[in-house]
Amino acid sequence: MTSPRIAIAGAGIGGLTCARVLQLHGFENVTVFERESSPEARQQGGTIDLHADSGQEAVRAAGLFEQWRALARFEGQEQRKVDHATAALIEHEPAEGDFRPEIDRGQLRRLLLDSLTPGTVAWGRGIDSAKPGEVTFLNGSTSTFDLVVGADGAWSRVRQALSPAMPLYTGVMFVETRHDNDERLLDLTGQGTMVADGEGLMIWSQRNSGDHIRAYACMRAREDWKPSNADLMELYAGWHPSLLAFLEGELFYRPLYSLPVPHTWEHTPGVTLLGDAAHLQPPLGVGANLAMQDAAELALAIAADGVRDGVRAYESVMVPRSVSFAERTNPALLEMVPERPVRI
């Protein structure tokens, strides 16, 4: 029998996991289409924790568990909370066990890329739109497939084939800063994650590999708000100077979006979704894990039951699971970053 032609939109960790597991099960005609020109076209984000019951299971399904363990930072499970006014440690969860060790997103993506058959990813060939069994590329050309998988993130072009839903602004803004080899910030962050909050504001920092820190100032704000460093210093007036140091440097604006809840669709042969394309949620530790779990389960279902029946079986589990998580993560974000007396 001819191996079915499967197109995967998006070379993020979800799309690559799906391609890897499919190839392990003998599916040769799998292509990942990515609009970026190369793996180095942009930075891949910060550190992510892979959970034992989801992300780690996907890594096992991809046959990469030992390679992942060699890269994972088990010490990154440490969590610290400090007082916003004094920077004194008020809560501490040490790194114990191996339920959710950290790994840089870029390292995980490279591990997955290197595991694929050469030529699997078509770089610089993005998908503009899709319908069941067919994609239209950004250059206007079209091609047909037995299955189109939308793993193309929050602003998925493939999703339009199944659902009119678009991401909605949550009302919460993250402003990111990056710091290298700064001993004062490394000491305050510890080996994993540090958080400080007060009066509707939050600073959240994470240690990445190589003594790199990514920090986030979190607040309710207008979607188009782009504060300067001075604006942030004024907003966070009264916070301890060691915490204000996280607000220095170049700023990257991250308004947070989520899909409407519940986000569901009628099963349609020839096209499906995974990860943020299916269930975009606030970044509270489940998004990457769900994407990889989706990807592995989709591939395994196809390997067990074929494309048509496998996709139906996958969606029957994935959709209600993602709705259940979204019903919790969206309110949790607003609880974590409450309204302030003065709106920004």
PDB file of all heavy atoms in Angstrom, residues 50-81:
ATOM      1  N   LEU A  50       8.358  19.820  30.814  1.00  0.00           N
ATOM      2  CA  LEU A  50       7.617  18.694  30.252  1.00  0.00           C
ATOM      3  C   LEU A  50       7.092  17.820  31.377  1.00  0.00           C
ATOM      4  O   LEU A  50       7.863  17.316  32.204  1.00  0.00           O
ATOM      5  CB  LEU A  50       8.504  17.873  29.315  1.00  0.00           C
ATOM      6  CG  LEU A  50       8.927  18.553  28.018  1.00  0.00           C
ATOM      7  CD1 LEU A  50       9.533  17.526  27.065  1.00  0.00           C
ATOM      8  CD2 LEU A  50       7.761  19.269  27.339  1.00  0.00           C
ATOM      9  N   HIS A  51       5.772  17.630  31.405  1.00  0.00           N
ATOM     10  CA  HIS A  51       5.117  16.899  32.481  1.00  0.00           C
ATOM     11  C   HIS A  51       5.185  15.393  32.225  1.00  0.00           C
ATOM     12  O   HIS A  51       5.120  14.934  31.077  1.00  0.00           O
ATOM     13  CB  HIS A  51       3.673  17.341  32.608  1.00  0.00           C
ATOM     14  CG  HIS A  51       3.523  18.792  32.974  1.00  0.00           C
ATOM     15  ND1 HIS A  51       2.299  19.394  33.145  1.00  0.00           N
ATOM     16  CD2 HIS A  51       4.443  19.768  33.191  1.00  0.00           C
ATOM     17  CE1 HIS A  51       2.471  20.670  33.451  1.00  0.00           C
ATOM     18  NE2 HIS A  51       3.766  20.915  33.488  1.00  0.00           N
ATOM     19  N   ALA A  52       5.251  14.638  33.307  1.00  0.00           N
ATOM     20  CA  ALA A  52       5.423  13.197  33.200  1.00  0.00           C
ATOM     21  C   ALA A  52       4.282  12.525  32.464  1.00  0.00           C
ATOM     22  O   ALA A  52       4.486  11.534  31.753  1.00  0.00           O
ATOM     23  CB  ALA A  52       5.582  12.586  34.594  1.00  0.00           C
ATOM     24  N   ASP A  53       3.062  13.051  32.608  1.00  0.00           N
ATOM     25  CA  ASP A  53       1.893  12.377  32.032  1.00  0.00           C
ATOM     26  C   ASP A  53       1.497  12.909  30.668  1.00  0.00           C
ATOM     27  O   ASP A  53       0.478  12.482  30.113  1.00  0.00           O
ATOM     28  CB  ASP A  53       0.706  12.469  32.986  1.00  0.00           C
ATOM     29  CG  ASP A  53       0.337  13.910  33.318  1.00  0.00           C
ATOM     30  OD1 ASP A  53       1.057  14.841  32.885  1.00  0.00           O
ATOM     31  OD2 ASP A  53      -0.681  14.112  34.022  1.00  0.00           O
ATOM     32  N   SER A  54       2.262  13.830  30.083  1.00  0.00           N
ATOM     33  CA  SER A  54       1.888  14.388  28.781  1.00  0.00           C
ATOM     34  C   SER A  54       3.117  14.628  27.905  1.00  0.00           C
ATOM     35  O   SER A  54       3.423  13.816  27.025  1.00  0.00           O
ATOM     36  CB  SER A  54       1.083  15.682  28.969  1.00  0.00           C
ATOM     37  OG  SER A  54       1.753  16.590  29.829  1.00  0.00           O
ATOM     38  N   GLY A  55       3.865  15.700  28.160  1.00  0.00           N
ATOM     39  CA  GLY A  55       5.018  15.989  27.326  1.00  0.00           C
ATOM     40  C   GLY A  55       6.059  14.889  27.331  1.00  0.00           C
ATOM     41  O   GLY A  55       6.612  14.523  26.285  1.00  0.00           O
ATOM     42  N   GLN A  56       6.333  14.327  28.511  1.00  0.00           N
ATOM     43  CA  GLN A  56       7.324  13.252  28.580  1.00  0.00           C
ATOM     44  C   GLN A  56       6.836  11.994  27.867  1.00  0.00           C
ATOM     45  O   GLN A  56       7.630  11.275  27.244  1.00  0.00           O
ATOM     46  CB  GLN A  56       7.674  12.945  30.033  1.00  0.00           C
ATOM     47  CG  GLN A  56       8.457  14.043  30.725  1.00  0.00           C
ATOM     48  CD  GLN A  56       8.830  13.674  32.139  1.00  0.00           C
ATOM     49  OE1 GLN A  56       9.217  12.545  32.426  1.00  0.00           O
ATOM     50  NE2 GLN A  56       8.691  14.633  33.058  1.00  0.00           N
ATOM     51  N   GLU A  57       5.550  11.712  27.943  1.00  0.00           N
ATOM     52  CA  GLU A  57       5.011  10.561  27.220  1.00  0.00           C
ATOM     53  C   GLU A  57       5.150  10.752  25.711  1.00  0.00           C
ATOM     54  O   GLU A  57       5.406   9.795  24.974  1.00  0.00           O
ATOM     55  CB  GLU A  57       3.551  10.331  27.604  1.00  0.00           C
ATOM     56  CG  GLU A  57       3.368   9.736  28.994  1.00  0.00           C
ATOM     57  CD  GLU A  57       4.066   8.396  29.137  1.00  0.00           C
ATOM     58  OE1 GLU A  57       3.809   7.492  28.317  1.00  0.00           O
ATOM     59  OE2 GLU A  57       4.900   8.259  30.056  1.00  0.00           O
ATOM     60  N   ALA A  58       4.996  11.994  25.249  1.00  0.00           N
ATOM     61  CA  ALA A  58       5.190  12.277  23.829  1.00  0.00           C
ATOM     62  C   ALA A  58       6.640  12.066  23.420  1.00  0.00           C
ATOM     63  O   ALA A  58       6.926  11.540  22.338  1.00  0.00           O
ATOM     64  CB  ALA A  58       4.751  13.702  23.518  1.00  0.00           C
ATOM     65  N   VAL A  59       7.579  12.472  24.290  1.00  0.00           N
ATOM     66  CA  VAL A  59       8.997  12.255  24.003  1.00  0.00           C
ATOM     67  C   VAL A  59       9.296  10.751  23.933  1.00  0.00           C
ATOM     68  O   VAL A  59      10.073  10.297  23.083  1.00  0.00           O
ATOM     69  CB  VAL A  59       9.873  12.956  25.068  1.00  0.00           C
ATOM     70  CG1 VAL A  59      11.337  12.594  24.888  1.00  0.00           C
ATOM     71  CG2 VAL A  59       9.711  14.470  24.975  1.00  0.00           C
ATOM     72  N   ARG A  60       8.673   9.979  24.818  1.00  0.00           N
ATOM     73  CA  ARG A  60       8.846   8.521  24.750  1.00  0.00           C
ATOM     74  C   ARG A  60       8.324   7.976  23.426  1.00  0.00           C
ATOM     75  O   ARG A  60       8.968   7.137  22.783  1.00  0.00           O
ATOM     76  CB  ARG A  60       8.098   7.847  25.902  1.00  0.00           C
ATOM     77  CG  ARG A  60       8.714   8.038  27.277  1.00  0.00           C
ATOM     78  CD  ARG A  60       7.928   7.247  28.315  1.00  0.00           C
ATOM     79  NE  ARG A  60       8.313   7.558  29.671  1.00  0.00           N
ATOM     80  CZ  ARG A  60       9.339   7.010  30.304  1.00  0.00           C
ATOM     81  NH1 ARG A  60      10.084   6.101  29.681  1.00  0.00           N
ATOM     82  NH2 ARG A  60       9.633   7.345  31.547  1.00  0.00           N
ATOM     83  N   ALA A  61       7.136   8.439  23.017  1.00  0.00           N
ATOM     84  CA  ALA A  61       6.556   7.965  21.764  1.00  0.00           C
ATOM     85  C   ALA A  61       7.436   8.313  20.575  1.00  0.00           C
ATOM     86  O   ALA A  61       7.455   7.592  19.566  1.00  0.00           O
ATOM     87  CB  ALA A  61       5.159   8.558  21.578  1.00  0.00           C
ATOM     88  N   ALA A  62       8.175   9.424  20.709  1.00  0.00           N
ATOM     89  CA  ALA A  62       9.081   9.850  19.639  1.00  0.00           C
ATOM     90  C   ALA A  62      10.425   9.133  19.699  1.00  0.00           C
ATOM     91  O   ALA A  62      11.297   9.385  18.856  1.00  0.00           O
ATOM     92  CB  ALA A  62       9.301  11.361  19.728  1.00  0.00           C
ATOM     93  N   GLY A  63      10.627   8.254  20.690  1.00  0.00           N
ATOM     94  CA  GLY A  63      11.872   7.521  20.797  1.00  0.00           C
ATOM     95  C   GLY A  63      13.059   8.378  21.185  1.00  0.00           C
ATOM     96  O   GLY A  63      14.209   8.045  20.869  1.00  0.00           O
ATOM     97  N   LEU A  64      12.801   9.468  21.914  1.00  0.00           N
ATOM     98  CA  LEU A  64      13.851  10.435  22.228  1.00  0.00           C
ATOM     99  C   LEU A  64      13.998  10.672  23.725  1.00  0.00           C
ATOM    100  O   LEU A  64      14.571  11.682  24.140  1.00  0.00           O
ATOM    101  CB  LEU A  64      13.549  11.767  21.522  1.00  0.00           C
ATOM    102  CG  LEU A  64      13.487  11.733  19.998  1.00  0.00           C
ATOM    103  CD1 LEU A  64      12.957  13.054  19.459  1.00  0.00           C
ATOM    104  CD2 LEU A  64      14.860  11.425  19.416  1.00  0.00           C
ATOM    105  N   PHE A  65      13.493   9.753  24.527  1.00  0.00           N
ATOM    106  CA  PHE A  65      13.441  10.013  25.963  1.00  0.00           C
ATOM    107  C   PHE A  65      14.833  10.182  26.574  1.00  0.00           C
ATOM    108  O   PHE A  65      15.063  11.107  27.354  1.00  0.00           O
ATOM    109  CB  PHE A  65      12.684   8.893  26.677  1.00  0.00           C
ATOM    110  CG  PHE A  65      12.379   9.192  28.112  1.00  0.00           C
ATOM    111  CD1 PHE A  65      11.367  10.071  28.454  1.00  0.00           C
ATOM    112  CD2 PHE A  65      13.116   8.598  29.143  1.00  0.00           C
ATOM    113  CE1 PHE A  65      11.077  10.361  29.780  1.00  0.00           C
ATOM    114  CE2 PHE A  65      12.836   8.879  30.472  1.00  0.00           C
ATOM    115  CZ  PHE A  65      11.817   9.764  30.791  1.00  0.00           C
ATOM    116  N   GLU A  66      15.763   9.298  26.248  1.00  0.00           N
ATOM    117  CA  GLU A  66      17.093   9.393  26.850  1.00  0.00           C
ATOM    118  C   GLU A  66      17.831  10.634  26.369  1.00  0.00           C
ATOM    119  O   GLU A  66      18.541  11.282  27.142  1.00  0.00           O
ATOM    120  CB  GLU A  66      17.904   8.125  26.549  1.00  0.00           C
ATOM    121  CG  GLU A  66      17.362   6.888  27.235  1.00  0.00           C
ATOM    122  CD  GLU A  66      17.194   7.060  28.738  1.00  0.00           C
ATOM    123  OE1 GLU A  66      18.085   7.679  29.369  1.00  0.00           O
ATOM    124  OE2 GLU A  66      16.180   6.588  29.278  1.00  0.00           O
ATOM    125  N   GLN A  67      17.661  10.993  25.104  1.00  0.00           N
ATOM    126  CA  GLN A  67      18.288  12.222  24.594  1.00  0.00           C
ATOM    127  C   GLN A  67      17.705  13.449  25.281  1.00  0.00           C
ATOM    128  O   GLN A  67      18.429  14.400  25.593  1.00  0.00           O
ATOM    129  CB  GLN A  67      18.100  12.320  23.081  1.00  0.00           C
ATOM    130  CG  GLN A  67      18.785  11.229  22.282  1.00  0.00           C
ATOM    131  CD  GLN A  67      17.856  10.069  21.962  1.00  0.00           C
ATOM    132  OE1 GLN A  67      17.113   9.595  22.838  1.00  0.00           O
ATOM    133  NE2 GLN A  67      17.890   9.610  20.727  1.00  0.00           N
ATOM    134  N   TRP A  68      16.397  13.419  25.522  1.00  0.00           N
ATOM    135  CA  TRP A  68      15.761  14.532  26.240  1.00  0.00           C
ATOM    136  C   TRP A  68      16.283  14.616  27.671  1.00  0.00           C
ATOM    137  O   TRP A  68      16.606  15.704  28.159  1.00  0.00           O
ATOM    138  CB  TRP A  68      14.246  14.356  26.245  1.00  0.00           C
ATOM    139  CG  TRP A  68      13.577  15.217  27.264  1.00  0.00           C
ATOM    140  CD1 TRP A  68      13.331  16.557  27.188  1.00  0.00           C
ATOM    141  CD2 TRP A  68      13.111  14.797  28.554  1.00  0.00           C
ATOM    142  NE1 TRP A  68      12.731  16.990  28.352  1.00  0.00           N
ATOM    143  CE2 TRP A  68      12.592  15.941  29.195  1.00  0.00           C
ATOM    144  CE3 TRP A  68      13.083  13.574  29.213  1.00  0.00           C
ATOM    145  CZ2 TRP A  68      12.043  15.874  30.480  1.00  0.00           C
ATOM    146  CZ3 TRP A  68      12.541  13.512  30.482  1.00  0.00           C
ATOM    147  CH2 TRP A  68      12.031  14.657  31.094  1.00  0.00           C
ATOM    148  N   ARG A  69      16.401  13.469  28.344  1.00  0.00           N
ATOM    149  CA  ARG A  69      16.880  13.470  29.724  1.00  0.00           C
ATOM    150  C   ARG A  69      18.280  14.070  29.826  1.00  0.00           C
ATOM    151  O   ARG A  69      18.621  14.726  30.802  1.00  0.00           O
ATOM    152  CB  ARG A  69      16.885  12.043  30.298  1.00  0.00           C
ATOM    153  CG  ARG A  69      15.531  11.563  30.791  1.00  0.00           C
ATOM    154  CD  ARG A  69      15.670  10.211  31.491  1.00  0.00           C
ATOM    155  NE  ARG A  69      16.482  10.319  32.703  1.00  0.00           N
ATOM    156  CZ  ARG A  69      15.991  10.562  33.909  1.00  0.00           C
ATOM    157  NH1 ARG A  69      14.683  10.750  34.065  1.00  0.00           N
ATOM    158  NH2 ARG A  69      16.785  10.623  34.955  1.00  0.00           N
ATOM    159  N   ALA A  70      19.105  13.839  28.823  1.00  0.00           N
ATOM    160  CA  ALA A  70      20.464  14.368  28.846  1.00  0.00           C
ATOM    161  C   ALA A  70      20.482  15.892  28.764  1.00  0.00           C
ATOM    162  O   ALA A  70      21.431  16.534  29.229  1.00  0.00           O
ATOM    163  CB  ALA A  70      21.272  13.770  27.690  1.00  0.00           C
ATOM    164  N   LEU A  71      19.445  16.476  28.177  1.00  0.00           N
ATOM    165  CA  LEU A  71      19.357  17.926  28.040  1.00  0.00           C
ATOM    166  C   LEU A  71      18.528  18.578  29.144  1.00  0.00           C
ATOM    167  O   LEU A  71      18.687  19.766  29.433  1.00  0.00           O
ATOM    168  CB  LEU A  71      18.728  18.283  26.689  1.00  0.00           C
ATOM    169  CG  LEU A  71      19.521  17.926  25.431  1.00  0.00           C
ATOM    170  CD1 LEU A  71      18.644  18.098  24.192  1.00  0.00           C
ATOM    171  CD2 LEU A  71      20.782  18.780  25.319  1.00  0.00           C
ATOM    172  N   ALA A  72      17.628  17.816  29.752  1.00  0.00           N
ATOM    173  CA  ALA A  72      16.677  18.383  30.717  1.00  0.00           C
ATOM    174  C   ALA A  72      17.394  18.890  31.963  1.00  0.00           C
ATOM    175  O   ALA A  72      18.389  18.326  32.409  1.00  0.00           O
ATOM    176  CB  ALA A  72      15.629  17.343  31.099  1.00  0.00           C
ATOM    177  N   ARG A  73      16.858  19.975  32.516  1.00  0.00           N
ATOM    178  CA  ARG A  73      17.393  20.551  33.744  1.00  0.00           C
ATOM    179  C   ARG A  73      16.429  20.212  34.893  1.00  0.00           C
ATOM    180  O   ARG A  73      15.428  20.901  35.094  1.00  0.00           O
ATOM    181  CB  ARG A  73      17.568  22.066  33.598  1.00  0.00           C
ATOM    182  CG  ARG A  73      18.540  22.467  32.506  1.00  0.00           C
ATOM    183  CD  ARG A  73      18.866  23.958  32.558  1.00  0.00           C
ATOM    184  NE  ARG A  73      17.667  24.779  32.592  1.00  0.00           N
ATOM    185  CZ  ARG A  73      16.945  25.088  31.519  1.00  0.00           C
ATOM    186  NH1 ARG A  73      17.296  24.634  30.327  1.00  0.00           N
ATOM    187  NH2 ARG A  73      15.877  25.843  31.621  1.00  0.00           N
ATOM    188  N   PHE A  74      16.738  19.155  35.620  1.00  0.00           N
ATOM    189  CA  PHE A  74      15.866  18.727  36.712  1.00  0.00           C
ATOM    190  C   PHE A  74      15.885  19.743  37.848  1.00  0.00           C
ATOM    191  O   PHE A  74      14.897  19.909  38.567  1.00  0.00           O
ATOM    192  CB  PHE A  74      16.272  17.336  37.185  1.00  0.00           C
ATOM    193  CG  PHE A  74      15.987  16.271  36.176  1.00  0.00           C
ATOM    194  CD1 PHE A  74      16.891  16.000  35.156  1.00  0.00           C
ATOM    195  CD2 PHE A  74      14.796  15.575  36.204  1.00  0.00           C
ATOM    196  CE1 PHE A  74      16.614  15.032  34.197  1.00  0.00           C
ATOM    197  CE2 PHE A  74      14.505  14.612  35.249  1.00  0.00           C
ATOM    198  CZ  PHE A  74      15.427  14.341  34.237  1.00  0.00           C
ATOM    199  N   GLU A  75      17.002  20.455  37.991  1.00  0.00           N
ATOM    200  CA  GLU A  75      17.072  21.505  39.009  1.00  0.00           C
ATOM    201  C   GLU A  75      16.151  22.672  38.684  1.00  0.00           C
ATOM    202  O   GLU A  75      15.811  23.477  39.560  1.00  0.00           O
ATOM    203  CB  GLU A  75      18.517  21.996  39.160  1.00  0.00           C
ATOM    204  CG  GLU A  75      19.063  22.809  37.990  1.00  0.00           C
ATOM    205  CD  GLU A  75      19.567  21.957  36.829  1.00  0.00           C
ATOM    206  OE1 GLU A  75      19.377  20.715  36.865  1.00  0.00           O
ATOM    207  OE2 GLU A  75      20.151  22.529  35.891  1.00  0.00           O
ATOM    208  N   GLY A  76      15.715  22.763  37.416  1.00  0.00           N
ATOM    209  CA  GLY A  76      14.833  23.848  36.997  1.00  0.00           C
ATOM    210  C   GLY A  76      13.427  23.757  37.548  1.00  0.00           C
ATOM    211  O   GLY A  76      12.616  24.665  37.347  1.00  0.00           O
ATOM    212  N   GLN A  77      13.113  22.668  38.278  1.00  0.00           N
ATOM    213  CA  GLN A  77      11.801  22.539  38.900  1.00  0.00           C
ATOM    214  C   GLN A  77      11.658  23.407  40.150  1.00  0.00           C
ATOM    215  O   GLN A  77      10.552  23.554  40.676  1.00  0.00           O
ATOM    216  CB  GLN A  77      11.542  21.073  39.262  1.00  0.00           C
ATOM    217  CG  GLN A  77      11.514  20.150  38.055  1.00  0.00           C
ATOM    218  CD  GLN A  77      11.381  18.695  38.452  1.00  0.00           C
ATOM    219  OE1 GLN A  77      10.302  18.120  38.432  1.00  0.00           O
ATOM    220  NE2 GLN A  77      12.510  18.086  38.834  1.00  0.00           N
ATOM    221  N   GLU A  78      12.758  23.965  40.622  1.00  0.00           N
ATOM    222  CA  GLU A  78      12.701  24.838  41.797  1.00  0.00           C
ATOM    223  C   GLU A  78      11.804  26.045  41.525  1.00  0.00           C
ATOM    224  O   GLU A  78      11.851  26.650  40.447  1.00  0.00           O
ATOM    225  CB  GLU A  78      14.095  25.337  42.168  1.00  0.00           C
ATOM    226  CG  GLU A  78      14.091  26.267  43.377  1.00  0.00           C
ATOM    227  CD  GLU A  78      15.439  26.939  43.626  1.00  0.00           C
ATOM    228  OE1 GLU A  78      16.322  26.872  42.742  1.00  0.00           O
ATOM    229  OE2 GLU A  78      15.590  27.551  44.695  1.00  0.00           O
ATOM    230  N   GLN A  79      10.972  26.412  42.507  1.00  0.00           N
ATOM    231  CA  GLN A  79      10.119  27.592  42.402  1.00  0.00           C
ATOM    232  C   GLN A  79      10.277  28.447  43.652  1.00  0.00           C
ATOM    233  O   GLN A  79      10.278  27.925  44.766  1.00  0.00           O
ATOM    234  CB  GLN A  79       8.653  27.184  42.216  1.00  0.00           C
ATOM    235  CG  GLN A  79       8.413  26.418  40.917  1.00  0.00           C
ATOM    236  CD  GLN A  79       6.942  26.258  40.611  1.00  0.00           C
ATOM    237  OE1 GLN A  79       6.189  27.222  40.577  1.00  0.00           O
ATOM    238  NE2 GLN A  79       6.525  25.028  40.387  1.00  0.00           N
ATOM    239  N   ARG A  80      10.393  29.746  43.416  1.00  0.00           N
ATOM    240  CA  ARG A  80      10.593  30.699  44.509  1.00  0.00           C
ATOM    241  C   ARG A  80       9.565  31.820  44.384  1.00  0.00           C
ATOM    242  O   ARG A  80       9.238  32.250  43.277  1.00  0.00           O
ATOM    243  CB  ARG A  80      12.002  31.304  44.444  1.00  0.00           C
ATOM    244  CG  ARG A  80      13.107  30.315  44.595  1.00  0.00           C
ATOM    245  CD  ARG A  80      14.451  30.856  44.086  1.00  0.00           C
ATOM    246  NE  ARG A  80      14.833  32.093  44.732  1.00  0.00           N
ATOM    247  CZ  ARG A  80      15.538  32.173  45.859  1.00  0.00           C
ATOM    248  NH1 ARG A  80      15.966  31.074  46.453  1.00  0.00           N
ATOM    249  NH2 ARG A  80      15.859  33.337  46.386  1.00  0.00           N
ATOM    250  N   LYS A  81       9.066  32.285  45.529  1.00  0.00           N
ATOM    251  CA  LYS A  81       8.234  33.484  45.567  1.00  0.00           C
ATOM    252  C   LYS A  81       8.866  34.455  46.551  1.00  0.00           C
ATOM    253  O   LYS A  81       9.230  34.063  47.664  1.00  0.00           O
ATOM    254  CB  LYS A  81       6.800  33.162  45.996  1.00  0.00           C
ATOM    255  CG  LYS A  81       5.884  34.386  45.973  1.00  0.00           C
ATOM    256  CD  LYS A  81       4.429  34.022  46.251  1.00  0.00           C
ATOM    257  CE  LYS A  81       3.536  35.256  46.139  1.00  0.00           C
ATOM    258  NZ  LYS A  81       2.115  34.931  46.372  1.00  0.00           N
TER     259      LYS A  81
END
